Amino acid sequence: MPVLLLTNDDGVHASGLQALAEALAELGEAHVLAPEREQSACGHALTLHRPLRVARLGERRFAVNGTPSDCVNLGVLGFLPERPVLVVAGVNHGSNLGDDVTYSGTVSAAMEGTLLGVPSIAVSLAEGGDFAGAARVARQVAARVLVEGLPRKTLLNVNVPAGTPRGIRVTRLGHRVYSEKIVEQSDPRGRTHYWIGAGEATWEDLEGTDMGALHEGYVSVTPLHLDLTDHRALARLADWPARLVPRPRGPARARPPRE
Ligand code: MN
Protein backbone atom coordinates (compact mmCIF):
# COMPACT_ATOMS: atom_id res chain seq x y z
CA MET A 1 0.00 0.00 0.00
CA PRO A 2 1.41 3.44 -0.89
CA VAL A 3 2.02 5.79 2.03
CA LEU A 4 -0.17 8.91 2.11
CA LEU A 5 0.44 11.93 4.34
CA LEU A 6 -2.62 13.76 5.65
CA THR A 7 -2.52 17.04 7.50
CA ASN A 8 -4.60 20.19 8.08
CA ASP A 9 -4.55 23.57 9.77
CA ASP A 10 -7.66 23.10 11.94
CA GLY A 11 -5.78 20.78 14.28
CA VAL A 12 -5.41 17.02 14.59
CA HIS A 13 -8.80 16.63 16.30
CA ALA A 14 -10.82 18.37 13.56
CA SER A 15 -13.69 16.37 12.03
CA GLY A 16 -12.64 17.32 8.48
CA LEU A 17 -9.31 15.53 8.95
CA GLN A 18 -11.03 12.51 10.48
CA ALA A 19 -13.37 12.26 7.48
CA LEU A 20 -10.42 12.61 5.11
CA ALA A 21 -8.48 9.83 6.84
CA GLU A 22 -11.46 7.49 6.59
CA ALA A 23 -12.07 8.25 2.91
CA LEU A 24 -8.40 7.94 1.87
CA ALA A 25 -7.78 4.69 3.76
CA GLU A 26 -9.05 2.91 0.62
CA LEU A 27 -6.27 4.41 -1.49
CA GLY A 28 -3.27 3.70 0.69
CA GLU A 29 -1.73 3.67 4.12
CA ALA A 30 -3.01 7.01 5.40
CA HIS A 31 -0.80 8.63 8.05
CA VAL A 32 -2.14 11.67 9.89
CA LEU A 33 0.48 14.16 11.06
CA ALA A 34 -1.24 17.40 12.06
CA PRO A 35 -0.89 20.41 14.36
CA GLU A 36 -1.92 19.75 17.95
CA ARG A 37 -4.09 22.88 17.86
CA GLU A 38 -5.76 25.10 15.29
CA GLN A 39 -3.39 27.04 13.01
CA SER A 40 -5.81 28.60 10.51
CA ALA A 41 -4.43 31.58 8.53
CA CYS A 42 -0.89 30.68 9.63
CA GLY A 43 0.23 30.74 6.00
CA HIS A 44 3.42 28.92 5.10
CA ALA A 45 5.15 29.43 8.44
CA LEU A 46 7.85 26.97 9.50
CA THR A 47 9.08 26.46 13.07
CA LEU A 48 12.85 26.88 12.97
CA HIS A 49 13.69 28.33 16.38
CA ARG A 50 12.43 25.66 18.74
CA PRO A 51 12.29 21.86 18.65
CA LEU A 52 9.27 20.07 17.23
CA ARG A 53 7.68 17.34 19.31
CA VAL A 54 5.42 14.60 18.01
CA ALA A 55 2.81 12.90 20.21
CA ARG A 56 1.44 9.55 19.07
CA LEU A 57 -2.37 9.48 19.28
CA GLY A 58 -2.97 6.25 17.39
CA GLU A 59 -1.29 3.74 15.12
CA ARG A 60 -0.94 6.21 12.25
CA ARG A 61 -2.08 9.40 13.94
CA PHE A 62 0.29 12.02 15.35
CA ALA A 63 0.02 15.52 16.85
CA VAL A 64 2.81 18.03 16.25
CA ASN A 65 3.45 21.22 18.21
CA GLY A 66 3.92 23.16 14.99
CA THR A 67 2.36 24.38 11.77
CA PRO A 68 0.90 22.43 8.83
CA SER A 69 4.09 23.07 6.84
CA ASP A 70 6.15 21.69 9.74
CA CYS A 71 4.03 18.53 9.64
CA VAL A 72 4.59 18.07 5.90
CA ASN A 73 8.32 18.66 6.34
CA LEU A 74 8.52 16.01 9.04
CA GLY A 75 6.35 13.54 7.15
CA VAL A 76 8.10 13.85 3.80
CA LEU A 77 11.66 14.08 5.09
CA GLY A 78 11.84 11.01 7.26
CA PHE A 79 9.29 10.69 10.07
CA LEU A 80 7.07 8.23 8.19
CA PRO A 81 8.17 4.66 7.46
CA GLU A 82 8.46 5.60 3.77
CA ARG A 83 8.39 8.79 1.74
CA PRO A 84 4.70 9.52 1.01
CA VAL A 85 3.49 9.38 -2.59
CA LEU A 86 0.80 11.99 -1.94
CA VAL A 87 0.14 14.83 0.52
CA VAL A 88 -3.49 15.79 1.18
CA ALA A 89 -4.33 18.76 3.41
CA GLY A 90 -7.85 19.24 4.77
CA VAL A 91 -10.72 18.92 4.79
CA ASN A 92 -10.56 22.55 5.89
CA HIS A 93 -13.48 24.05 7.73
CA GLY A 94 -14.28 26.91 5.33
CA SER A 95 -13.33 27.51 1.70
CA ASN A 96 -9.90 28.73 0.55
CA LEU A 97 -10.47 30.77 -2.59
CA GLY A 98 -8.80 33.30 -4.84
CA ASP A 99 -6.27 35.70 -3.39
CA ASP A 100 -6.95 34.31 0.09
CA VAL A 101 -5.00 31.12 -0.65
CA THR A 102 -1.80 32.98 0.26
CA TYR A 103 -2.91 33.11 3.91
CA SER A 104 -4.18 29.57 4.09
CA GLY A 105 -2.41 27.00 6.23
CA THR A 106 -4.25 24.27 4.30
CA VAL A 107 -3.01 25.43 0.91
CA SER A 108 0.46 26.11 2.34
CA ALA A 109 0.72 22.51 3.53
CA ALA A 110 0.10 21.40 -0.06
CA MET A 111 2.66 23.98 -1.23
CA GLU A 112 5.21 22.48 1.13
CA GLY A 113 4.55 18.99 -0.21
CA THR A 114 4.90 20.28 -3.77
CA LEU A 115 8.18 22.07 -2.99
CA LEU A 116 9.48 18.81 -1.54
CA GLY A 117 8.55 17.02 -4.77
CA VAL A 118 5.46 15.12 -3.61
CA PRO A 119 2.15 15.56 -5.52
CA SER A 120 -0.12 17.51 -3.17
CA ILE A 121 -3.76 18.49 -2.85
CA ALA A 122 -5.50 21.01 -0.58
CA VAL A 123 -9.19 20.36 0.13
CA SER A 124 -11.57 22.86 1.71
CA LEU A 125 -15.30 22.81 2.39
CA ALA A 126 -17.63 25.80 2.27
CA GLU A 127 -19.22 26.82 5.56
CA GLY A 128 -22.11 24.54 6.48
CA GLY A 129 -21.09 21.66 4.19
CA ASP A 130 -20.74 17.96 4.93
CA PHE A 131 -17.21 16.68 5.66
CA ALA A 132 -17.92 13.09 4.62
CA GLY A 133 -19.12 14.29 1.20
CA ALA A 134 -16.10 16.55 0.78
CA ALA A 135 -13.78 13.70 1.79
CA ARG A 136 -15.32 11.53 -0.94
CA VAL A 137 -14.55 14.27 -3.47
CA ALA A 138 -10.99 14.39 -2.07
CA ARG A 139 -10.69 10.63 -2.61
CA GLN A 140 -11.80 10.92 -6.26
CA VAL A 141 -9.30 13.67 -6.97
CA ALA A 142 -6.54 11.87 -5.04
CA ALA A 143 -7.14 8.63 -6.98
CA ARG A 144 -6.81 10.56 -10.25
CA VAL A 145 -3.59 12.24 -9.08
CA LEU A 146 -2.12 8.89 -8.00
CA VAL A 147 -2.67 7.58 -11.53
CA GLU A 148 -1.73 10.68 -13.54
CA GLY A 149 0.62 12.58 -11.25
CA LEU A 150 0.84 16.35 -11.36
CA PRO A 151 3.05 18.70 -13.37
CA ARG A 152 6.23 19.81 -11.60
CA LYS A 153 5.70 22.57 -8.99
CA THR A 154 1.91 22.30 -9.39
CA LEU A 155 -0.61 21.52 -6.66
CA LEU A 156 -4.39 21.23 -6.75
CA ASN A 157 -6.56 23.51 -4.63
CA VAL A 158 -9.96 21.83 -4.26
CA ASN A 159 -13.02 23.59 -2.82
CA VAL A 160 -16.30 21.78 -2.20
CA PRO A 161 -19.64 23.64 -2.01
CA ALA A 162 -21.99 23.30 0.95
CA GLY A 163 -24.78 21.43 -0.85
CA THR A 164 -24.60 18.31 -3.02
CA PRO A 165 -22.14 19.25 -5.80
CA ARG A 166 -23.60 19.65 -9.32
CA GLY A 167 -20.28 18.55 -10.80
CA ILE A 168 -16.62 19.51 -10.96
CA ARG A 169 -15.09 22.56 -12.67
CA VAL A 170 -11.44 23.28 -13.31
CA THR A 171 -10.97 26.95 -12.48
CA ARG A 172 -8.57 29.86 -12.07
CA LEU A 173 -8.13 31.84 -8.86
CA GLY A 174 -10.57 34.68 -8.38
CA HIS A 175 -9.42 38.12 -7.28
CA ARG A 176 -10.66 40.14 -4.38
CA VAL A 177 -11.69 43.74 -4.62
CA TYR A 178 -9.75 45.36 -1.80
CA SER A 179 -12.20 48.01 -0.77
CA GLU A 180 -12.20 47.19 2.93
CA LYS A 181 -11.03 49.69 5.42
CA ILE A 182 -9.47 49.06 8.77
CA VAL A 183 -11.86 49.31 11.70
CA GLU A 184 -10.58 51.66 14.38
CA GLN A 185 -12.14 51.42 17.83
CA SER A 186 -11.53 52.52 21.39
CA ASP A 187 -11.40 50.11 24.29
CA PRO A 188 -13.01 50.89 27.67
CA ARG A 189 -9.77 52.50 28.83
CA GLY A 190 -9.72 54.84 25.86
CA ARG A 191 -6.89 53.11 24.02
CA THR A 192 -7.19 52.67 20.27
CA HIS A 193 -7.14 49.26 18.62
CA TYR A 194 -7.70 48.03 15.07
CA TRP A 195 -9.43 45.18 13.25
CA ILE A 196 -8.30 44.05 9.80
CA GLY A 197 -10.15 41.70 7.43
CA ALA A 198 -13.47 42.50 9.11
CA GLY A 199 -15.46 43.68 6.06
CA GLU A 200 -17.55 41.75 3.53
CA ALA A 201 -15.40 40.29 0.76
CA THR A 202 -16.24 41.35 -2.77
CA TRP A 203 -14.80 39.72 -5.86
CA GLU A 204 -13.98 40.70 -9.42
CA ASP A 205 -15.71 38.98 -12.37
CA LEU A 206 -16.51 35.42 -11.28
CA GLU A 207 -16.52 33.82 -14.76
CA GLY A 208 -14.19 30.82 -14.77
CA THR A 209 -13.03 31.34 -11.20
CA ASP A 210 -12.99 29.11 -8.14
CA MET A 211 -15.39 31.47 -6.39
CA GLY A 212 -17.75 31.39 -9.38
CA ALA A 213 -17.82 27.58 -9.48
CA LEU A 214 -18.57 27.33 -5.78
CA HIS A 215 -21.22 30.00 -6.07
CA GLU A 216 -23.02 27.88 -8.66
CA GLY A 217 -22.76 24.70 -6.60
CA TYR A 218 -19.78 23.04 -8.34
CA VAL A 219 -16.62 21.58 -6.88
CA SER A 220 -13.72 23.83 -7.89
CA VAL A 221 -10.32 22.37 -8.79
CA THR A 222 -7.63 25.02 -9.33
CA PRO A 223 -4.10 24.06 -10.38
CA LEU A 224 -1.63 26.37 -8.60
CA HIS A 225 1.94 26.80 -9.77
CA LEU A 226 4.75 27.55 -7.34
CA ASP A 227 7.18 29.26 -9.66
CA LEU A 228 6.19 32.75 -8.56
CA THR A 229 8.53 34.38 -11.07
CA ASP A 230 6.68 36.74 -13.39
CA HIS A 231 8.26 35.62 -16.64
CA ARG A 232 6.73 38.47 -18.67
CA ALA A 233 8.11 41.03 -16.24
CA LEU A 234 11.61 39.53 -16.64
CA ALA A 235 11.78 41.05 -20.12
CA ARG A 236 10.32 44.37 -19.00
CA LEU A 237 12.83 44.70 -16.18
CA ALA A 238 15.80 43.65 -18.32
CA ASP A 239 17.41 47.10 -18.39
CA TRP A 240 17.02 47.78 -14.66
CA PRO A 241 20.47 46.54 -13.60
CA ALA A 242 22.20 49.11 -15.82
CA ARG A 243 20.02 51.85 -14.42
CA LEU A 244 20.21 50.78 -10.79
CA VAL A 245 23.95 50.15 -10.43
CA PRO A 246 25.25 52.74 -7.97
CA ARG A 247 27.79 55.11 -9.51
CA PRO A 248 31.32 54.39 -8.33
CA ARG A 249 32.19 56.86 -5.62
CA GLY A 250 34.89 59.38 -6.50
CA PRO A 251 36.66 61.62 -4.00
CA ALA A 252 34.22 63.68 -1.98
CA ARG A 253 33.30 66.79 -3.85
CA ALA A 254 33.77 70.01 -2.07
CA ARG A 255 30.52 71.81 -1.51
CA PRO A 256 30.24 75.22 -2.95
CA PRO A 257 30.47 77.74 -0.17
CA ARG A 258 27.21 79.23 0.97
CA GLU A 259 26.55 82.76 0.10
MN1 MN B 1 -8.48 26.07 8.82
Side-chain angles (χ1 to χ4, degrees):
M1 287 271 261
V3 167
L4 316 177
L5 171 57
L6 278 46
T7 191
N8 73 350
D9 75 353
D10 295 333
V12 69
H13 301 290
S15 3
L17 181 57
Q18 185 65 36
L20 187 68
E22 282 165 24
L24 293 193
E26 291 177 23
L27 297 183
E29 201 178 285
H31 294 256
V32 170
L33 197 57
E36 61 185 9
R37 61 192 70 179
E38 184 176 347
Q39 303 276 329
S40 291
C42 68
H44 201 158
L46 284 178
T47 304
L48 302 177
H49 302 293
R50 61 172 175 80
L52 290 171
R53 296 192 193 281
V54 182
R56 182 176 216 133
L57 306 178
E59 201 199 338
R60 293 178 192 142
R61 202 161 154 262
F62 303 88
V64 181
N65 64 341
T67 66
S69 296
D70 291 333
C71 295
V72 172
N73 232 268
L74 284 174
V76 173
L77 298 181
F79 181 82
L80 298 183
E82 279 173 41
R83 187 177 160 88
V85 296
L86 183 72
V87 171
V88 187
V91 174
N92 188 60
H93 181 229
S95 51
N96 277 304
L97 297 164
D99 294 323
D100 291 350
V101 300
T102 53
Y103 310 110
S104 164
T106 310
V107 176
S108 293
M111 287 182 181
E112 188 68 11
T114 305
L115 292 174
L116 295 171
V118 181
S120 301
I121 307 169
V123 187
S124 305
L125 175 64
E127 202 74 42
D130 160 47
F131 283 121
R136 281 195 297 275
V137 171
R139 181 176 65 214
Q140 287 183 312
V141 176
R144 198 80 226 134
V145 169
L146 284 174
V147 172
E148 288 194 28
L150 286 174
R152 206 175 148 269
K153 292 235 172 194
T154 300
L155 66 94
L156 296 183
N157 184 39
V158 179
N159 280 277
V160 180
T164 307
R166 293 169 64 191
I168 295 186
R169 278 187 187 164
V170 177
T171 60
R172 63 184 169 89
L173 287 181
H175 295 293
R176 264 179 183 277
V177 179
Y178 284 92
S179 56
E180 292 174 11
K181 290 192 168 58
I182 57 170
V183 176
E184 184 181 313
Q185 296 174 333
S186 285
D187 73 15
R189 299 204 168 86
R191 290 173 306 191
T192 305
H193 61 258
Y194 300 90
W195 288 92
I196 58 171
E200 268 296 300
T202 48
W203 297 80
E204 289 175 12
D205 180 27
L206 293 182
E207 186 65 34
T209 68
D210 49 0
M211 176 58 90
L214 227 65
H215 196 71
E216 290 175 36
Y218 287 83
V219 172
S220 163
V221 178
T222 310
L224 299 182
H225 194 241
L226 286 184
D227 179 355
L228 297 181
T229 311
D230 182 342
H231 288 274
R232 270 175 299 185
L234 271 183
R236 256 184 51 204
L237 271 58
D239 65 339
W240 278 39
R243 292 204 249 160
L244 292 179
V245 165
R247 299 223 175 91
R249 261 195 217 167
R253 256 176 286 165
R255 284 192 184 179
R258 281 199 185 172
E259 304 213 347

XYZ file of all heavy atoms in Angstrom, residues 8-11 38-41 91-94 96 104-106, ligand 1:
112
model
N -3.600 19.109 8.184
C -4.595 20.185 8.081
C -4.093 21.392 8.866
O -2.978 21.356 9.398
C -5.959 19.709 8.598
C -6.000 19.587 10.109
O -4.975 19.670 10.785
N -7.179 19.391 10.649
N -4.921 22.442 8.918
C -4.554 23.574 9.773
C -5.596 23.806 10.861
O -5.474 24.730 11.650
C -4.292 24.848 8.951
C -5.563 25.509 8.440
O -6.661 24.937 8.591
O -5.452 26.609 7.877
N -6.635 22.969 10.902
C -7.658 23.105 11.943
C -7.296 22.300 13.192
O -8.024 22.333 14.182
C -9.015 22.626 11.420
C -9.528 23.510 10.286
O -9.152 24.689 10.247
O -10.293 23.005 9.447
N -6.215 21.576 13.128
C -5.785 20.784 14.281
C -6.109 19.313 14.108
O -7.058 18.939 13.401
N -5.414 24.406 16.524
C -5.758 25.095 15.289
C -4.698 26.111 14.877
O -4.159 26.818 15.709
C -7.110 25.806 15.425
C -7.494 26.425 14.101
C -8.860 27.086 14.091
O -9.641 26.882 15.019
O -9.108 27.815 13.115
N -4.414 26.146 13.559
C -3.385 27.037 13.006
C -3.930 27.768 11.786
O -3.156 28.124 10.894
C -2.174 26.209 12.559
C -1.544 25.348 13.609
C -0.564 26.130 14.442
O 0.056 27.066 13.961
N -0.435 25.770 15.700
N -5.244 27.984 11.706
C -5.812 28.604 10.510
C -5.171 29.969 10.256
O -4.826 30.677 11.200
C -7.323 28.763 10.650
O -7.929 27.494 10.629
N -5.029 30.301 8.969
C -4.429 31.578 8.528
C -2.983 31.729 8.961
O -2.452 32.824 9.036
C -5.259 32.779 8.991
N -9.840 18.035 5.553
C -10.723 18.921 4.794
C -10.912 20.173 5.632
O -11.410 20.078 6.757
C -12.076 18.252 4.521
C -13.035 19.245 3.856
C -11.946 16.991 3.700
N -10.501 21.337 5.080
C -10.562 22.545 5.893
C -11.997 22.982 6.154
O -12.864 22.857 5.298
C -9.815 23.683 5.191
C -9.699 24.904 6.091
O -9.118 24.811 7.164
N -10.268 26.020 5.680
N -12.194 23.485 7.347
C -13.481 24.055 7.727
C -13.549 25.475 7.168
O -12.972 26.403 7.720
C -13.571 24.059 9.261
C -14.856 24.610 9.765
N -14.929 25.569 10.736
C -16.128 24.328 9.415
C -16.196 25.868 10.971
N -16.938 25.119 10.188
N -14.209 25.620 6.021
C -14.279 26.913 5.332
C -13.481 26.873 4.041
O -12.437 26.214 3.974
N -11.152 28.007 0.757
C -9.897 28.734 0.547
C -9.835 29.119 -0.917
O -9.454 28.311 -1.762
C -8.695 27.848 0.914
C -8.420 27.864 2.406
O -8.226 28.925 2.999
N -8.410 26.697 3.016
N -3.617 30.828 3.619
C -4.179 29.567 4.089
C -3.116 28.569 4.549
O -2.182 28.249 3.809
C -4.990 28.952 2.943
O -5.237 27.597 3.208
N -3.276 28.065 5.748
C -2.406 26.999 6.226
C -2.646 25.702 5.469
O -1.724 24.912 5.249
N -3.897 25.476 5.059
C -4.255 24.269 4.303
C -3.535 24.252 2.955
O -2.889 23.260 2.588
C -5.787 24.241 4.059
O -6.452 24.458 5.294
C -6.231 22.942 3.447
Mn -8.477 26.074 8.816
